[in-house]
Amino acid sequence: MATSVQDPGGAARGAAAPRVPGGRWGIAVAAVLVQLALGAVYAWSVFNKPLQSEFGWSKSEVVLPFEVAIGTIFIGTFVGGRIQDRRGPRPVALAGVVLYSVGIMLASLTNTKDQLWLLVLTYGVMGGIGLGLAYITPIAMLAKWFPDKRGLITGIAVGGFGFGAVITGPVAKNLLAGTPHKPGVFLPLGIAYLVAGLIGASMFRNPPAGYVVPGWEASTVGRNVPTTRAYDLGAALRTPQWWLLTAILTLNTLTGIAFISQASDAAQGLTGISAGAAATFVGLMGLFNGAGRIGWAALSDGIGRMRAFFGMLLVQGLAFLLLPHVAFAVFAVLAALIYLSYGGGFGTMPATAADFFGTPNAGAIYGAMIVAWSIGGVVGPLIASKLYESTGGYSVPFTVLGIVALVSMALPLITRPPAAGTHADADLLEAQSRVGNA
């Protein structure tokens, strides 16, 4: 018989829930504040041309700090998720916010063309690892506070990340216009991220052991039935479900981010709009990235997680097949659907992982799944760019991506929660006993 599990960072069994301004919704607001600061990383494109003009870097050189930041996020989520499950969310989030913000502030020290390495080290490595540490904590934490609204609440949490660039982009653009030394704007931005992040992260905490939402009982029937067991990372990795979920997230990310990497150029090349109109278009699309994280996640609470992922991949597949053949008005609608579905994957998967594997070790389990972000973030844009270079247009790249999305729909159809009596049960009982007796 499995023993009950006490979450690190929670109060003793039977204790009252921690007093937090606004209750659990106050913690949700704090989580969004942190994610808004972290999501500013998606505003990197506003720095490309100013940095190229000041230092003469090539296009591939100027995007290197951003690529390194995205590539190192997985390090932070993997390490931070494991520490959070043992020590609670607050120290991990605070450490992540500090590392992320200080890295961005130190990026302002870049002064010459041959100091690209400094920008990569500070913005890229420090910022990326810190981002990963702070990104994973509110997701795992809120899944424990909101067992009755897992999809909605994790969608809101990562929705803040999606909206971060929408806020930061115009601010950074104005700061860049007012100074000849472009890296200098990283200092005030880093300070702002630090203040917002510390305020939000200081409120982070897990609910007490035995916490339940008044008047709510976990369903034993329906489309999203949460597991009653607590998998640790090792046990989760020994199930086919972890690999299937990671594959679904990888493919949904790959197709979506492939389009994001080409959105401006594709809009101009396929529909003939101006560069200025394309820039406005891309900025507006960021709103759909954030909205998709909330919308699809909330929808998954009602229709089921796998049906939601099936829908995301279907929408992307059809949109990609149509994109090369439509006028700009329809192109913009299809692009918005792709952005919605791309964001929806990040909004829905945390709740899915919690349903499948439990919440006590959700930080480590979902943190490891973020490898999908790194894989998709590299492979997707690479496929799009290579196919464009070999064919001279976007018809083949978008058709291939559409087919990839449609074929990927098979994965949600065959993915089911781990069944009772799997080979991992002995590992689960042992892990639960260790945690319960700690």
Side-chain angles (χ1 to χ4, degrees), residues 69-417:
I70 297 299
T72 54
I73 284 175
F74 169 67
I75 299 174
T77 60
F78 182 78
V79 174
R82 294 175 67 86
I83 296 174
Q84 169 186 296
D85 292 336
R86 293 175 173 83
R87 302 292 183 183
R90 190 188 308 167
V92 179
L94 290 171
V97 164
V98 170
L99 183 61
Y100 167 73
S101 303
V102 170
I104 292 174
M105 286 187 277
L106 291 176
S108 66
L109 299 177
T110 304
N111 286 306
T112 63
K113 179 179 181 178
D114 57 3
Q115 287 184 322
L116 178 61
W117 65 269
L118 179 59
L119 195 56
V120 170
L121 177 63
T122 54
Y123 190 101
V125 177
M126 291 179 64
I129 295 176
L131 193 161
L133 286 168
Y135 176 85
I136 193 63
T137 49
I139 295 172
M141 174 188 66
L142 290 177
K144 299 170 184 177
W145 278 105
F146 291 84
D148 54 328
K149 297 180 175 67
R150 272 185 188 158
L152 173 63
I153 201 64
T154 56
I156 289 174
V158 297
F161 190 91
F163 286 120
V166 177
I167 297 173
T168 302
V171 174
K173 188 174 182 180
N174 288 333
L175 290 173
L176 288 165
T179 178
H181 180 53
K182 307 307 181 184
V185 306
F186 289 123
L187 181 58
L189 289 175
I191 293 173
Y193 304 155
L194 181 64
V195 172
L198 290 180
I199 292 173
S202 66
M203 295 179 62
F204 284 12
R205 66 203 68 191
N206 282 335
Y211 168 80
V212 294
V213 178
W216 176 81
E217 293 183 4
S219 175
T220 57
V221 295
R223 298 191 176 97
N224 300 315
V225 179
T227 181
T228 58
R229 298 175 295 168
Y231 286 73
D232 62 15
L233 177 60
L237 290 173
R238 286 190 286 275
T239 67
Q241 284 84 358
W242 187 92
W243 298 94
L244 285 167
L245 293 181
T246 302
I248 291 170
L249 184 60
T250 299
L251 291 164
N252 191 74
T253 301
L254 182 155
T255 51
I257 207 167
F259 177 74
I260 291 172
S261 71
Q262 303 290 326
S264 177
D265 293 342
Q268 295 175 66
L270 289 172
T271 69
I273 64 171
S274 67
T280 302
F281 157 73
V282 171
L284 290 174
M285 288 300 104
L287 295 172
F288 292 95
N289 181 6
R293 295 166 187 251
I294 301 171
W296 275 109
L299 183 63
S300 75
D301 282 336
I303 68 173
R305 313 294 184 210
M306 292 304 102
R307 289 188 179 187
F309 277 109
F310 183 90
M312 293 175 215
L313 292 166
L314 174 62
V315 167
Q316 288 201 65
L318 295 178
F320 273 117
L321 295 179
L322 293 172
L323 274 174
H325 313 292
V326 297
F328 176 68
V330 180
F331 182 95
V333 172
L334 296 173
L337 292 173
I338 292 174
Y339 271 80
L340 284 167
S341 299
Y342 168 75
F346 289 108
T348 306
M349 189 57 76
T352 308
D355 287 346
F356 277 42
F357 304 113
T359 58
N361 300 301
I365 293 170
Y366 182 65
M369 284 184 181
I370 295 297
V371 69
W373 196 352
S374 297
I375 295 172
V378 172
V379 176
L382 184 62
I383 290 174
S385 61
K386 291 297 184 182
L387 289 175
Y388 175 82
E389 290 172 357
S390 63
T391 63
Y394 286 102
S395 292
V396 171
F398 287 168
T399 300
V400 169
L401 289 168
I403 293 171
V404 169
L406 293 176
V407 171
S408 300
M409 290 163 52
L411 292 179
L413 291 177
I414 64 173
T415 303
R416 297 290 183 272

